[in-house]
Amino acid sequence: MEATAPAEALLLITASTAPGTDVSDLGQRLADTVVHLPSPAAALVGRSAVPDDVASWAAELGERQGMAGAAADLVMYFARLWFHPSPDLPADNIAVAIACRQVWETRLRGVELSGMTDLVCLPAPDADMWLRGALGCTSLARTADAPRA
Protein backbone atom coordinates (compact mmCIF):
# COMPACT_ATOMS: atom_id res chain seq x y z
CA MET A 1 0.00 0.00 0.00
CA GLU A 2 1.52 3.33 -0.99
CA ALA A 3 1.44 6.32 1.34
CA THR A 4 -0.50 9.37 0.27
CA ALA A 5 1.10 12.78 0.11
CA PRO A 6 0.07 15.21 2.83
CA ALA A 7 -2.77 17.56 1.95
CA GLU A 8 -3.71 20.99 3.22
CA ALA A 9 -7.10 22.64 3.74
CA LEU A 10 -7.85 26.31 4.39
CA LEU A 11 -11.08 26.91 6.28
CA LEU A 12 -13.17 29.87 7.41
CA ILE A 13 -15.00 29.33 10.69
CA THR A 14 -17.63 31.54 12.25
CA ALA A 15 -18.73 30.66 15.77
CA SER A 16 -21.46 32.11 17.92
CA THR A 17 -20.63 31.99 21.60
CA ALA A 18 -22.36 32.47 24.91
CA PRO A 19 -21.55 35.75 26.67
CA GLY A 20 -18.29 35.51 28.61
CA THR A 21 -16.78 32.72 26.51
CA ASP A 22 -12.98 32.82 26.30
CA VAL A 23 -12.63 32.92 22.50
CA SER A 24 -8.86 32.34 22.64
CA ASP A 25 -9.46 29.12 24.57
CA LEU A 26 -12.10 28.13 22.02
CA GLY A 27 -9.55 28.60 19.22
CA GLN A 28 -7.14 26.24 20.96
CA ARG A 29 -9.93 23.74 21.52
CA LEU A 30 -10.84 23.89 17.82
CA ALA A 31 -7.19 23.17 16.96
CA ASP A 32 -6.82 20.38 19.52
CA THR A 33 -10.00 18.61 18.42
CA VAL A 34 -8.76 17.89 14.87
CA VAL A 35 -7.14 14.73 16.28
CA HIS A 36 -10.65 13.25 16.16
CA LEU A 37 -10.89 13.57 12.37
CA PRO A 38 -10.92 10.28 10.39
CA SER A 39 -7.26 10.85 9.39
CA PRO A 40 -4.38 12.22 11.47
CA ALA A 41 -4.31 16.01 11.23
CA ALA A 42 -2.47 19.03 12.55
CA ALA A 43 -3.99 22.50 12.73
CA LEU A 44 -3.26 26.17 13.05
CA VAL A 45 -6.28 28.29 14.07
CA GLY A 46 -6.17 32.07 14.15
CA ARG A 47 -8.86 34.32 15.60
CA SER A 48 -9.79 37.48 13.75
CA ALA A 49 -12.29 40.28 14.06
CA VAL A 50 -15.51 39.67 12.19
CA PRO A 51 -15.56 42.03 9.19
CA ASP A 52 -17.96 44.95 9.66
CA ASP A 53 -20.15 43.96 6.72
CA VAL A 54 -20.57 40.42 8.04
CA ALA A 55 -21.31 41.63 11.59
CA SER A 56 -23.83 44.17 10.26
CA TRP A 57 -25.55 41.58 8.09
CA ALA A 58 -25.71 39.06 10.96
CA ALA A 59 -27.11 41.68 13.35
CA GLU A 60 -29.79 42.70 10.84
CA LEU A 61 -30.72 39.09 10.15
CA GLY A 62 -30.88 38.33 13.89
CA GLU A 63 -33.17 41.30 14.53
CA ARG A 64 -35.50 40.29 11.69
CA GLN A 65 -35.72 36.84 13.26
CA GLY A 66 -36.50 38.26 16.70
CA MET A 67 -33.02 37.63 18.09
CA ALA A 68 -31.69 41.11 18.76
CA GLY A 69 -28.01 41.00 19.64
CA ALA A 70 -27.52 37.63 17.91
CA ALA A 71 -24.30 38.78 16.28
CA ALA A 72 -22.82 40.34 19.41
CA ASP A 73 -20.83 37.22 20.26
CA LEU A 74 -19.80 36.21 16.75
CA VAL A 75 -16.16 35.15 16.37
CA MET A 76 -14.22 34.39 13.19
CA TYR A 77 -11.37 31.91 12.91
CA PHE A 78 -9.06 31.04 10.03
CA ALA A 79 -7.94 27.41 10.14
CA ARG A 80 -5.16 25.69 8.23
CA LEU A 81 -5.11 21.90 8.42
CA TRP A 82 -2.47 19.44 7.34
CA PHE A 83 -3.56 15.82 6.99
CA HIS A 84 -3.03 12.57 5.11
CA PRO A 85 -5.98 11.95 2.79
CA SER A 86 -7.87 8.72 3.19
CA PRO A 87 -11.15 7.29 1.92
CA ASP A 88 -12.79 8.73 5.06
CA LEU A 89 -11.16 12.16 4.66
CA PRO A 90 -10.33 12.87 1.00
CA ALA A 91 -8.20 15.80 -0.14
CA ASP A 92 -11.32 17.82 -0.90
CA ASN A 93 -11.84 21.12 0.92
CA ILE A 94 -15.61 20.73 1.13
CA ALA A 95 -15.27 17.22 2.61
CA VAL A 96 -12.70 18.51 5.12
CA ALA A 97 -14.95 21.43 6.14
CA ILE A 98 -17.87 19.05 6.68
CA ALA A 99 -15.74 16.59 8.68
CA CYS A 100 -14.32 19.38 10.85
CA ARG A 101 -17.75 20.83 11.52
CA GLN A 102 -19.08 17.42 12.52
CA VAL A 103 -16.18 16.83 14.92
CA TRP A 104 -16.42 20.33 16.41
CA GLU A 105 -20.21 20.15 16.77
CA THR A 106 -20.00 16.77 18.48
CA ARG A 107 -17.09 17.55 20.80
CA LEU A 108 -17.38 21.29 21.50
CA ARG A 109 -20.88 22.62 20.87
CA GLY A 110 -22.74 23.71 23.94
CA VAL A 111 -22.35 26.27 26.67
CA GLU A 112 -21.30 23.57 29.12
CA LEU A 113 -18.62 22.17 26.78
CA SER A 114 -16.96 25.26 25.31
CA GLY A 115 -19.33 28.21 25.21
CA MET A 116 -19.86 27.74 21.47
CA THR A 117 -23.53 27.84 20.59
CA ASP A 118 -23.30 27.60 16.79
CA LEU A 119 -20.64 27.01 14.16
CA VAL A 120 -20.27 27.50 10.42
CA CYS A 121 -17.22 26.01 8.68
CA LEU A 122 -16.55 26.69 5.01
CA PRO A 123 -13.63 26.03 2.70
CA ALA A 124 -11.81 29.23 1.76
CA PRO A 125 -12.80 30.33 -1.74
CA ASP A 126 -9.12 30.86 -2.58
CA ALA A 127 -5.76 30.88 -0.81
CA ASP A 128 -5.07 34.59 -1.39
CA MET A 129 -8.34 35.65 0.23
CA TRP A 130 -7.72 33.30 3.16
CA LEU A 131 -4.19 34.65 3.62
CA ARG A 132 -5.35 38.29 3.56
CA GLY A 133 -7.90 37.48 6.26
CA ALA A 134 -5.48 35.39 8.30
CA LEU A 135 -2.97 38.25 8.37
CA GLY A 136 -5.43 40.11 10.61
CA CYS A 137 -5.57 37.36 13.23
CA THR A 138 -5.11 38.60 16.78
CA SER A 139 -4.41 35.21 18.36
CA LEU A 140 -3.06 31.90 17.17
CA ALA A 141 -3.69 28.37 18.40
CA ARG A 142 -1.93 25.29 17.10
CA THR A 143 -1.56 21.61 17.63
CA ALA A 144 1.88 20.54 18.82
CA ASP A 145 2.66 18.93 15.45
CA ALA A 146 1.56 21.85 13.25
CA PRO A 147 4.30 23.17 10.96
CA ARG A 148 5.80 26.52 11.96
CA ALA A 149 4.88 27.99 8.56
Side-chain angles (χ1 to χ4, degrees), residues 86-147:
S86 70
D88 293 327
L89 189 65
D92 172 78
N93 287 339
I94 293 172
V96 173
I98 291 168
C100 284
R101 184 175 191 279
Q102 290 172 338
V103 164
W104 291 330
E105 284 275 330
T106 302
R107 301 205 171 254
L108 297 177
R109 186 171 185 211
V111 175
E112 68 285 348
L113 294 175
S114 68
M116 181 179 69
T117 57
D118 198 18
L119 175 79
V120 175
C121 181
L122 301 169
D126 66 67
D128 288 336
M129 186 279 309
W130 182 91
L131 184 58
R132 283 192 310 274
L135 288 173
C137 287
T138 56
S139 72
L140 193 60
R142 68 174 65 240
T143 56
D145 53 352

Side-chain angles (χ1 to χ4, degrees), residues 27-37 39-46 79-83 104 140-149:
Q28 186 62 57
R29 293 178 81 174
L30 290 167
D32 291 343
T33 310
V34 301
V35 300
H36 298 288
L37 288 168
S39 295
L44 193 63
V45 178
R80 185 174 184 183
L81 271 67
W82 295 270
F83 63 100
W104 291 330
L140 193 60
R142 68 174 65 240
T143 56
D145 53 352
R148 298 278 174 188

Side-chain angles (χ1 to χ4, degrees), residues 22-30 77 114:
D22 180 347
V23 293
S24 294
D25 180 60
L26 179 56
Q28 186 62 57
R29 293 178 81 174
L30 290 167
Y77 296 94
S114 68

